[in-house]
Amino acid sequence: MDAIDDRASTGLLAPLKNSTFRSIFLASQLSSLGWLMQTVALSWLMATVSTSDVMVALVQASSTLPAFFLAIFVGAIADNYSRRAVMIVGRSLMMAASAMLTILMAFGITDPWMILAFSFLDGCGIALSDPAWRASLGDMLERRHLPAAVTLLNVGFNTVRSVGPALGGIIVAVFGPLVTFALTTLGFVAPITALWRSKWKVQGSSLPREALMTAIYDGLRFTAISSEIKSTIVRGTLFGFASTSTLALLPLVARDILQAGPVSYGILMGGFGAGALFAGLMNPRLRRMLTQEWLVVLACMSSTVCAISLALTSTLTPATIALAFGGAGWVTGWSGLGTNVQLASPRWVVGRTISIYSAFTYGGIAAGSWVWGLVAEHYSLTAALATSAGAALLVAALGLKLPISNRSESELEPLGSFSAPAVALDLKPRSGPILVTTEYAIPEENAESFLDLMRERRRVQSRVGARQWTLTRDVQDSSHWVETFRTPTWIDFHRLHHRLTAADKILDDEFMKLSQYTRPPRTTILLERSTSAARKSAPVPYLSQK
């Protein structure tokens, strides 16, 4: 019975038991449906008011480029401001853009550049709200429910994507673009209302907000140091590059290989959505049976089967079944990769890591769409699909060098407790730079073990904010070692210690063991001063014993 209850508590629908997540999730699906309908209407409107194929193609690009270029900035905003407020602002921007587009359309103003401008504003709203929404999952839900929540987001969007374009096409054909824009505007009311009425507990910080550029730097540095996140970003970018061929080339498959029309295209998209939904329902069971690496491999193999099948088939039914494999691989891959980023990121930086991951994967998808389109144009559609299938297999094989971890819980949550040292100077939060040195007395027989610990120490300290970290050894006293690093300001020094985890603190105990027969480590905290601004009284450093 306990096993049954545990499976129920971690199943795909378990996050929906949380009323806050449920209301925002369902409202977001409604607005996503409207946004996809509006995308169809904008593309159709552009095709009627402009004779340029480039302008028509730019409609899609203008809505996705903000997510690529603004990702790191909005990630820093999501980590330093109320994520709920950021989501409200992002959704409000999208609603305002749709409302203005509806009003101008009602007055007969349909300039092509105006269409691109409002499509770009829509993209800015998505870029602002999406990282905050995904970063908020860990605030709303228990960590064991994060994989199911990430899967639900992917299943929901892919299911809506199977319906939205077809529904948008029908509404545009029957009622015209104006009605579509109006319905989209009303659709944005739902998530804004859900966010306005919902509040969830967020772990606060006693420290002041980081400066934007410092937050961006810290996010980039954390991502660069985390081997788990780097592997996920590389695999995700290449997976998007390889597997996007089926969606990017699907209109050509319907037109050229199947010799079919828009109805058949809608059926094919339905097959993709059905596969995505099935894989989402099976995802919790698959996560219990397979490691995360094998799930990514399975996703790549499904994408390969889909692409090869589309290249070889010439009838609708086999193609629809092939698209079901593609949809299943798409959701399995993105759910696993997205979950890994969530679990490998502590709460203080999760918005930035998600944004960086999203920027690279969006870039991979965009690059893949362009490359496979070029291959199809200059060679053949079959060659493009077959080549992308081979690329997906290479992404699976890359797991031998860049494996995805099977992390189920995060060990990166900071302790958050730090007793500020007493100081002899009147330090302000912005006082700095701060130079921190720690002296160790290590017997020669412990030198190799000490160096091994220091390699981990460097990674740990750099990940949470230490800069210019160095380790030196006294040439006259071989047992004397000095660890040195800097922080830009006094408040950054505090922030560094607030971000350390229980596992990081264990390193201090290991160093104490290595020096237990000599003297304990001694830490000195210094305020750097320029010689041109030197005062008559020299600064007094703070000394602490560890």
Side-chain angles (χ1 to χ4, degrees):
M1 179 64 74
D2 291 339
I4 295 175
D5 292 340
D6 182 66
R7 287 196 296 270
S9 66
T10 56
L12 179 66
L13 302 182
L16 294 176
K17 296 178 181 178
N18 183 294
S19 59
T20 300
F21 174 83
R22 183 175 64 248
S23 62
I24 298 174
F25 170 77
L26 295 177
S28 296
Q29 302 315 301
L30 181 61
S31 65
S32 295
L33 179 64
W35 178 73
L36 288 165
M37 289 166 48
Q38 179 173 274
T39 301
V40 172
L42 284 172
S43 299
W44 178 257
L45 180 62
M46 180 67 81
T48 60
V49 301
S50 174
T51 57
S52 171
D53 292 342
V54 174
M55 294 297 286
V56 176
L58 283 177
V59 172
Q60 184 70 23
S62 63
S63 64
T64 56
L65 280 177
F68 179 74
F69 288 113
L70 302 178
I72 184 59
F73 295 99
V74 299
I77 292 172
D79 282 333
N80 284 279
Y81 292 87
S82 165
R83 289 169 181 154
R84 173 174 169 267
V86 172
M87 291 164 66
I88 291 175
V89 171
R91 294 291 184 174
S92 298
L93 180 60
M94 296 175 71
M95 186 174 71
S98 295
M100 287 298 298
L101 191 60
T102 304
I103 293 172
L104 292 173
M105 183 70 183
F107 283 97
I109 303 174
T110 56
D111 180 75
W113 289 105
M114 177 204 74
I115 296 173
L116 291 181
F118 284 109
S119 180
F120 182 82
L121 284 178
D122 259 342
C124 290
I126 295 172
L128 190 62
S129 61
D130 191 60
W133 168 222
R134 292 182 179 271
S136 295
L137 299 181
D139 299 328
M140 299 177 187
L141 303 167
E142 299 178 33
R143 296 197 69 80
R144 63 196 178 103
H145 290 155
L146 282 180
V150 174
T151 303
L152 269 176
L153 295 188
N154 285 286
V155 170
F157 181 75
N158 282 284
T159 302
V160 169
R161 181 166 58 181
S162 302
V163 178
L167 183 60
I170 294 173
I171 294 177
V172 169
V174 176
F175 302 102
L178 177 61
V179 173
T180 308
F181 297 151
L183 291 175
T184 301
T185 303
L186 293 176
F188 286 124
V189 175
I192 294 175
T193 302
L195 288 166
W196 191 266
R197 298 177 60 182
S198 301
K199 292 184 179 180
W200 55 91
K201 185 178 180 180
V202 179
Q203 184 177 357
S205 174
S206 59
L207 300 177
R209 185 179 296 123
E210 280 186 279
L212 183 61
M213 294 310 297
T214 301
I216 291 173
Y217 180 86
D218 285 350
L220 290 171
R221 182 182 55 227
F222 182 93
T223 303
I225 291 172
S226 173
S227 58
E228 290 182 77
I229 296 178
K230 284 191 295 185
S231 296
T232 304
I233 287 175
V234 172
R235 298 286 292 283
T237 302
L238 295 178
F239 176 72
F241 178 89
S243 62
T244 194
S245 62
T246 53
L247 289 175
L249 302 177
L250 193 56
L252 301 180
V253 171
R255 186 191 68 186
D256 300 337
I257 295 181
L258 303 182
Q259 300 291 315
V263 174
S264 296
Y265 176 73
I267 293 174
L268 293 173
M269 285 298 298
F272 187 91
L277 178 60
F278 177 77
L281 294 173
M282 292 294 295
N283 191 266
R285 179 176 297 180
L286 289 174
R287 288 183 63 85
R288 289 192 293 268
M289 296 169 55
L290 302 173
T291 64
Q292 185 55 61
E293 174 59 34
W294 275 108
L295 287 177
V296 174
V297 171
L298 185 63
C300 294
M301 293 175 64
S302 296
S303 298
T304 298
V305 169
C306 177
I308 288 292
S309 300
L310 289 178
L312 297 178
T313 189
S314 59
T315 53
L316 181 61
T317 300
T320 304
I321 295 174
L323 262 298
F325 278 95
W330 188 265
V331 163
T332 301
W334 292 126
S335 298
L337 293 166
T339 298
N340 203 60
V341 174
Q342 288 265 1
L343 295 180
S345 305
R347 302 306 305 161
W348 63 267
V349 76
V350 66
R352 281 161 281 184
T353 55
I354 288 175
S355 296
I356 295 169
Y357 161 78
S358 298
F360 276 94
T361 52
Y362 273 122
I365 291 171
S369 300
W370 177 65
V371 168
W372 304 130
L374 286 178
V375 174
E377 181 177 346
H378 292 287
Y379 296 94
S380 68
L381 183 56
T382 300
L385 291 168
T387 306
S388 69
L393 288 179
L394 290 177
V395 176
L398 190 59
L400 296 174
K401 294 291 291 184
L402 295 173
I404 302 299
S405 68
N406 200 43
R407 182 188 291 271
S408 58
E409 294 291 339
S410 175
E411 301 91 16
L412 298 174
E413 291 311 306
L415 292 174
S417 60
F418 171 61
S419 298
V423 296
L425 298 177
D426 182 21
L427 295 179
K428 307 298 182 185
R430 296 183 64 83
S431 297
I434 301 298
L435 173 66
V436 182
T437 65
T438 303
E439 300 179 58
Y440 301 89
I442 304 298
E444 184 63 33
E445 62 269 20
N446 292 338
E448 287 300 321
S449 298
F450 175 77
L451 283 173
D452 290 338
L453 288 174
M454 271 298 168
R455 292 185 185 96
E456 177 64 13
R457 176 84 158 189
R458 177 179 184 173
R459 186 188 67 83
V460 165
Q461 298 281 45
S462 300
R463 186 183 65 199
V464 295
R467 305 186 185 187
Q468 302 174 27
W469 189 98
T470 60
L471 178 66
T472 56
R473 190 178 191 181
D474 194 329
V475 297
Q476 294 179 311
D477 180 2
S478 62
S479 67
H480 184 210
W481 299 75
V482 181
E483 173 197 7
T484 305
F485 67 85
R486 287 172 170 80
T487 62
T489 65
W490 181 237
I491 197 63
D492 289 317
F493 172 80
H494 282 244
R495 192 171 280 119
L496 179 151
H497 284 276
H498 274 271
R499 292 170 177 172
L500 292 173
T501 68
D504 299 337
K505 293 290 188 181
I506 292 176
L507 283 176
D508 292 338
D509 298 332
E510 297 296 325
F511 286 122
M512 291 294 289
K513 292 178 182 178
L514 291 180
S515 59
Q516 60 181 329
Y517 298 114
T518 54
R519 62 178 181 271
R522 187 182 70 162
T523 298
T524 305
I525 305 172
L526 298 156
L527 173 65
E528 290 188 8
R529 301 302 298 268
S530 171
T531 54
S532 62
R535 300 186 179 183
K536 294 181 180 180
S537 58
V540 181
Y542 166 76
L543 301 180
S544 69
Q545 300 293 327
K546 284 192 175 181

